[in-house]
Amino acid sequence: MRTAPTILHLDMDAFYASAEQAAKPSLRGKAVVVGGLGPRGVVATASYEARKFGVHSAMPMGQARRLAPHAAYLVPRFRLYRAISEQVMGLLGALSPLVEPLSLDEAFVDLEAGEAAWDAASAEAVGRRLRADIRRVTGLTGSVGLAASKMLAKIGSEEAKPDGLVLIRPGTERALLGPQSVRILPGVGPATADHLRRAGIQTVEEIAGAGEDELVRLLGKAHGSHLYEMALARDERPVVAERDSKSVSVEDTYDVDIHDRVQVRMEVRRLAGRCVERLRAAERSGRTVVLKVRRYDFSTLTRSETLRGPTDDPGVVREAAARLLESVDTTGGVRLLGVGVSGLADFTQEDLFAQFAAAEEAAAEELEGESAAAESAEAAEPEPTPVERKWLAGHDVRHAEFGPGWVQGSGLGRVTVRFETPYAVVPGRVRTFRVDDPELAPAEPMPLVEDAEGAEGDQAGSSSTPAILPNVTSGD
């Protein structure tokens, strides 16, 4: 293990919920829960105010509503979260070529590889600047852990939450970990902790004292040996730079099982289109189309088809997904559908059959249009029933008269909108409209920081004091 605390772990604080609070002045300082709002929805992130009521990630949304009935419940806005994540990852990339993202809001950085830090003092200075830069650029806060290994850096950032910095000096790791609960170690969940407790092991020091042979007997060779190494603060894993994605996929879970086979086909077609949009956005193509179906009884089936060459043609992916669906029995109902493309490449192999299929499809559509026009000349067709627009709680809208706002809720043919922007200092006004109001339209998320240049001076010196743990230095 290295001799300087130059591994940095960044974890954004309650990321999704914090982003929503920053975007919506009326929710600042209040309980906010982000996740799926349907009967089968789960919590993605809860604000710290909501966590006081016992709400946490991965909790069923129904349980969260019982614990915190007055919280704001919002549907995720992943486009906003990805945009913020790109800003944060850009700041990390400026520190070192070795950045290992774990998710949108979490990453390891090897500061030594980027020559950004070489000892405790320089590493801590980098951590402080990073937190200030994140606040200046995104308006959000992140917690930083600094140590000589990935495991300890992650433990440090957890102890630093929220909005803090913890530096663990080499040589103090055993004294720090010893009295802590076994749950502080990565990979030790409730089941493993309970198994160890029944064996009389409740602290990290007791894991080390038990010895590797005893842990292997209790937990098996791989888990037992790994846990013993962690208890001794041994972690030689390097920071690995981001690897290219091996696949692109999209999936949806439905509040009510889909039984209609025609609707299932339409959903697969729609998901295939979304998948290709992501594929093209990444400037990639793929050779294998994958269909995922989770049925009413929770059984999950996966089917795949490998094409003759990489493609990003939506018609080809839709047709392949449709063929795969024909081999799946959906009689009892479907609760989840997904379409993915793997075997990614940086180029697209032209598919003549795809071109012919597209040309034939366009010609067929043209003939259908001409036929429909001829029929309408003979007899007027009844107008189709308009589809009611869906307004998701928390999502952005814009009204022709009142400007930008966000959906507070909808139902019974009405939608309630609060008109405010991230830059307002007081909550905005609330108005209600018909769901089909022609002056109301979906909108793109607004940046959380209106003027990053001007915000720099305002944020100077605003970082909170880093936490101080036993054998841990904060530099203040």
Side-chain angles (χ1 to χ4, degrees):
M1 193 161 66
R2 61 184 69 197
T3 59
T6 52
I7 300 293
L8 181 149
H9 181 260
L10 170 72
D11 197 354
M12 300 294 288
D13 300 322
F15 182 45
Y16 298 170
S18 294
E20 298 299 344
Q21 289 176 316
K24 302 171 171 64
S26 57
L27 298 184
R28 292 169 189 168
K30 297 182 179 179
V32 174
V33 181
V34 179
L37 302 188
R40 294 170 177 161
V42 296
V43 175
T45 307
S47 69
Y48 287 100
E49 295 85 355
R51 296 180 190 188
K52 294 177 181 176
F53 296 97
V55 181
H56 58 77
S57 299
M59 172 182 285
M61 193 60 76
Q63 183 180 354
R65 289 186 184 276
R66 289 191 294 272
L67 292 172
H70 302 297
Y73 289 87
L74 307 176
V75 177
R77 295 189 296 161
F78 288 109
R79 183 170 298 181
L80 172 65
Y81 310 148
R82 290 191 187 98
I84 299 171
S85 177
E86 288 176 1
Q87 291 177 308
V88 172
M89 296 303 166
L91 293 173
L92 299 182
L95 297 176
S96 172
L98 291 184
V99 176
E100 183 178 343
L102 304 180
S103 62
L104 289 177
D105 61 339
E106 185 181 2
F108 287 108
V109 185
D110 188 329
L111 299 178
E112 188 175 14
E115 299 183 353
W118 49 90
D119 58 14
S122 58
E124 186 175 3
V126 169
R128 290 180 180 278
R129 288 197 303 271
L130 174 64
R131 291 176 57 233
D133 286 343
I134 289 173
R135 186 189 290 269
R136 172 178 57 83
V137 171
T138 71
L140 304 180
T141 63
S143 295
V144 168
L146 292 159
S149 70
K150 291 167 70 172
M151 179 190 77
L152 291 165
K154 183 172 177 61
I155 289 174
S157 67
E158 285 296 321
E159 296 294 337
K161 282 185 169 294
D163 191 19
L165 181 152
V166 162
L167 184 147
I168 302 175
R169 293 182 179 275
T172 67
E173 300 94 345
R174 292 286 300 275
L176 168 67
L177 292 175
Q180 302 287 339
S181 165
V182 296
R183 290 293 304 276
I184 199 174
L185 298 178
V188 180
T192 300
D194 186 60
H195 195 54
L196 292 171
R197 181 188 58 78
R198 291 197 300 270
I201 299 173
Q202 299 187 63
T203 67
V204 176
E205 188 175 28
E206 288 170 344
I207 289 178
E212 184 175 2
D213 291 342
E214 176 64 8
L215 290 169
V216 168
R217 187 186 68 80
L218 290 171
L219 304 174
K221 175 63 177 176
H223 196 186
S225 296
H226 181 60
L227 194 59
Y228 179 69
E229 290 294 309
M230 288 194 297
L232 298 180
R234 295 173 183 167
D235 180 16
E236 301 295 337
R237 294 174 301 158
V239 175
V240 180
E242 183 178 10
R243 297 186 178 96
D244 287 341
S245 298
K246 296 182 179 179
S247 65
V248 173
S249 63
V250 296
E251 62 182 42
D252 277 345
T253 301
Y254 305 100
D255 295 340
V256 179
D257 291 347
I258 302 176
H259 293 83
D260 186 348
R261 183 72 173 184
V262 173
Q263 186 179 355
V264 173
R265 291 193 187 102
M266 291 176 61
E267 285 297 305
V268 168
R269 182 179 178 84
R270 182 180 62 83
L271 290 167
R274 284 176 50 197
C275 181
V276 171
E277 287 178 4
R278 289 193 180 181
L279 194 66
R280 289 182 167 180
E283 299 182 347
R284 307 297 295 277
S285 60
R287 187 172 183 176
T288 301
V289 179
V290 181
L291 175 71
K292 177 180 177 183
V293 180
R294 180 166 297 149
R295 299 189 291 188
Y296 69 99
D297 58 357
F298 286 89
S299 61
T300 301
L301 303 178
T302 303
R303 300 287 186 267
S304 64
E305 176 181 323
T306 299
L307 308 173
R308 285 169 297 180
T311 184
D312 64 353
D313 187 292
V316 174
V317 176
R318 288 193 187 103
E319 289 301 319
R323 286 193 297 270
L324 294 170
L325 179 61
E326 294 307 311
S327 66
V328 178
D329 180 12
T330 61
T331 305
V334 170
R335 60 184 292 122
L336 178 146
L337 289 169
V339 175
V341 176
S342 61
L344 301 187
D346 293 325
F347 64 94
T348 301
Q349 179 172 311
E350 294 296 337
D351 191 327
L352 294 177
F353 288 97
Q355 294 178 15
F356 292 147
E360 289 174 358
E361 185 176 349
E365 289 177 353
E366 184 177 354
L367 286 174
E368 286 181 3
E370 292 175 355
S371 176
E375 291 177 3
S376 64
E378 297 178 3
E381 293 287 339
E383 293 203 4
T385 303
V387 178
E388 183 175 295
R389 289 191 291 176
K390 288 187 177 181
W391 301 100
L392 301 179
H395 279 222
D396 300 274
V397 295
R398 177 175 289 274
H399 192 274
E401 179 181 352
F402 303 109
W406 59 278
V407 176
Q408 280 200 326
S410 64
L412 302 177
R414 299 284 177 178
V415 55
T416 301
V417 177
R418 185 180 288 275
F419 291 98
E420 60 185 2
T421 70
Y423 326 124
V425 294
V426 295
R429 297 189 62 181
V430 175
R431 295 182 182 273
T432 299
F433 308 90
R434 298 193 319 272
V435 293
D436 59 352
D437 190 316
E439 295 191 320
L440 188 66
E444 294 294 319
M446 300 181 70
L448 301 185
V449 176
E450 185 175 22
D451 183 1
E453 295 290 330
E456 185 172 7
D458 296 338
Q459 299 301 338
S462 63
S463 301
S464 62
T465 302
I468 299 178
L469 299 177
N471 300 307
V472 179
T473 62
S474 66
D476 277 350

